[in-house]
Amino acid sequence: MRNIVIGIPSLNEASTISSVVSTVNLGLSRVNNVTAVIINADNDSKDGTKEAFLSTKTLFPKKYINSGKSRIGKGYNMLNVLRIAARMDADCIFFDADLRSIKPEWILKYLKALEDGFDFISPSYMRSKNAATVTNHLIYPIFRGILGVDIRQPIGGDIALSKNLVKFILQQLEINPPNFNITGFGIDSYISCSALAYKGKICNVNLGKKVHKPKDPSKDLTDILIEESIPLFDFIISNSLDKLREFEQNVPYLWQNEVYSVGNHSVDLKKIKTVLKITFLNLKEDIAKIVNEDVLPRVSHQLLEMSNPILEIEDWIKILGDIIIYFKKMKDEGITDNDKYKKMIHCIFPLYLTRVYSFAREVKSLNERESETIIRRNALLFYTKREDLFRRLKNEDSRTC
């Protein structure tokens, strides 16, 4: 009999959580030899999320937990669920509360992957070419390029963890608590990095189309970009170069041949261009401290003088390397202030927006599959350049010795 904890983190998701719970219940009901509890880990929602969750009829028991008014953040919710899973000696599956496209098959696929011995199961979605910009242009290229691991959605909210990985994560938090905040969005990248440190089996599972609340790259993603980056950058600089190379592994895609259609997610390019230019002007002095002088003049010229600024992928790769190096310098100098980390990473926000803007224009006439090919090609280009970054990290180590 397999014990399963289904965690649904939420903050004001009354309009969608009932549908998510009903679908999870339906998926679980199609499986034999499973005991499960469905947990809504909530951030003190005021819109009736609790009532919507508890009033949803299910065959499996439900539990509502509230992080409280002073503990608002996705990480609080997910850690609460992980602790319950550890006490129950259970595997753990998370689903976002705002999902509009969840299917019973998602649960079946995740349970099958857990049965097959995978410790970390990450989603592979068919998404609009202009969605998931933080993943596509920052987090995924670093996982694929620097760590050599093809986890396609390293900050996807719909994941599964074996009971052993659950316990490992909680043990590591006790033994070596991070000096950065993972109680918000950063919990996603922290868990993915922990899966690598655990050295268990990892896979991607094709879930098809994902539909949830759309986000505006120029407005809604600042905190996500900053909070998801810090655990990832810290993971890179906290491991030796040999260890970083050891993390590389083949990550299979399960149910890869299933084909899905996806709707369009439009982006307001005019708005993005306005925001990226304004924020670059406001942050250019701080950016100059981080971005290498061989790249900065080209970037400045594009953002300040060109009507349609372009940030080429080669320069974007160098910029991401620059910020990882700068992050390492801060750590080497004994800087452990989470707010200073956030301020530093905020400097790349206008550059990230420029990359989003450049990509959107590049793929304007392409469909989703053609655009996905470019995203993967760019990530592989990062992989071919990673030894350049490793040499720079080694040089930084020699300077601090």
Side-chain angles (χ1 to χ4, degrees), residues 25-306:
N25 178 70
L26 183 58
L28 290 172
S29 68
R30 296 179 180 177
V31 183
N32 297 320
N33 299 320
V34 166
T35 60
V37 58
I38 304 170
I39 299 174
N40 174 208
D42 188 44
N43 274 152
D44 200 41
S45 295
K46 303 302 183 185
D47 69 337
T49 295
K50 176 182 179 180
E51 292 75 15
F53 171 75
L54 292 175
S55 64
T56 305
K57 293 182 179 180
T58 60
L59 298 173
F60 295 84
K62 303 191 300 295
K63 181 178 178 65
Y64 174 86
I65 52 177
N66 189 338
S67 62
K69 296 178 181 179
S70 63
R71 293 175 175 266
I72 303 299
K74 183 180 181 182
Y76 283 120
N77 291 338
M78 294 185 73
L79 289 171
N80 284 336
V81 173
L82 290 175
R83 293 183 186 107
I84 293 173
R87 290 198 296 268
M88 293 179 58
D89 194 33
D91 301 319
C92 190
I93 303 175
F94 288 99
F95 292 111
D96 287 339
D98 67 342
L99 283 170
R100 292 175 169 85
S101 57
I102 185 172
K103 307 290 185 186
E105 289 74 23
W106 291 21
I107 293 87
L108 302 181
K109 289 177 177 181
Y110 275 6
L111 290 174
K112 179 64 167 63
L114 287 167
E115 289 175 7
D116 290 344
F118 288 99
D119 294 289
F120 183 61
I121 299 132
S122 182
S124 173
Y125 307 117
M126 192 64 197
R127 304 180 79 168
S128 170
K129 59 189 177 183
N130 290 316
T133 55
V134 173
T135 296
N136 290 344
H137 304 302
L138 195 151
I139 304 295
Y140 173 62
I142 290 177
F143 267 89
R144 184 67 186 92
I146 295 179
L147 299 173
V149 182
D150 190 9
I151 301 176
R152 183 60 187 88
Q153 300 286 337
I155 58 174
D158 314 307
I159 57 175
L161 301 83
S162 71
K163 62 183 181 180
N164 291 331
L165 178 56
V166 168
K167 293 173 184 176
F168 174 80
I169 290 170
L170 295 175
Q171 288 167 358
Q172 290 303 303
L173 284 171
E174 288 188 12
I175 296 169
N176 186 26
N179 59 4
F180 47 83
N181 184 12
I182 60 165
T183 59
F185 296 113
I187 188 67
D188 298 315
S189 59
Y190 182 84
I191 287 176
S192 293
C193 290
S194 297
L196 297 185
Y198 179 65
K199 297 183 179 178
K201 290 178 63 180
I202 300 173
C203 70
N204 298 286
V205 166
N206 182 6
L207 298 182
K209 178 171 64 175
K210 177 169 184 174
V211 180
H212 65 150
K213 283 182 181 176
K215 293 181 174 65
D216 180 348
S218 64
K219 182 178 67 173
D220 299 331
L221 297 177
T222 312
D223 288 343
I224 294 176
L225 180 144
I226 293 170
E227 293 178 21
E228 297 285 19
S229 297
I230 292 175
L232 179 54
F233 293 166
D234 186 81
F235 184 74
I236 291 169
I237 67 172
S238 297
N239 285 282
S240 68
L241 298 183
D242 288 340
K243 204 138 188 204
L244 290 176
R245 294 185 182 98
E246 289 175 6
F247 290 133
E248 185 170 347
Q249 63 172 282
N250 177 47
V251 179
Y253 282 74
L254 308 185
W255 293 277
Q256 185 178 10
N257 294 328
E258 296 180 5
V259 178
Y260 300 86
S261 61
V262 62
N264 184 42
H265 175 80
S266 60
V267 291
D268 188 340
L269 290 181
K270 184 177 179 180
K271 181 179 179 182
I272 290 176
K273 182 168 65 173
T274 299
V275 173
L276 70 86
K277 285 178 174 287
I278 291 172
T279 52
F280 181 75
L281 281 171
N282 292 337
L283 295 169
K284 65 178 182 178
E285 291 184 5
D286 290 327
I287 291 171
K289 299 174 185 176
I290 299 171
V291 176
N292 201 291
E293 59 186 16
D294 69 329
V295 173
L296 188 59
R298 288 196 296 275
V299 172
S300 297
H301 173 72
Q302 287 289 331
L303 271 72
L304 298 179
E305 299 181 33
M306 303 301 290

